Amino acid sequence: MARASWNGALIAESDRFELVEGNVYFPRAAVKPEYLREASKTTVCGWKGTARYHDVVVDGKVNAGAAWYYPEPKDAAANIRDHIAFWQGVTVEK
């Protein structure tokens, strides 16, 4: 079981997840959408593709760009399609 939490809120929880480069990628269905807000930030990984970001928002507090996903991952990263990972102070336990 993996869990992600921030600012006292459980953001994601799943017994199925992908572990890539030390990051837990939760299936999108396991992430509570009420805590995510689309952000304009993007980054590019040579083997995964272009990442898009979400801000994590809990009780009015914003953790900018604390969640990311690959909407169209490259073939080598196909296993993380429709998955979201967290960082920047979001606690992830597995």
Side-chain angles (χ1 to χ4, degrees), residues 2-56:
R3 293 179 176 89
S5 59
W6 185 71
N7 200 33
L10 181 64
I11 300 165
E13 182 175 43
S14 181
D15 58 355
R16 293 185 321 103
F17 56 89
E18 297 291 331
L19 189 61
V20 177
E21 296 181 323
N23 295 303
V24 173
Y25 284 79
F26 292 86
R28 184 171 288 277
V31 179
K32 296 180 180 178
E34 63 267 26
Y35 295 123
L36 300 181
R37 179 176 70 195
E38 195 71 33
S40 60
K41 180 179 178 176
T42 61
T43 57
V44 177
C45 171
W47 72 273
K48 289 183 294 237
T50 300
R52 296 201 44 95
Y53 289 77
H54 290 289
D55 298 335
V56 175

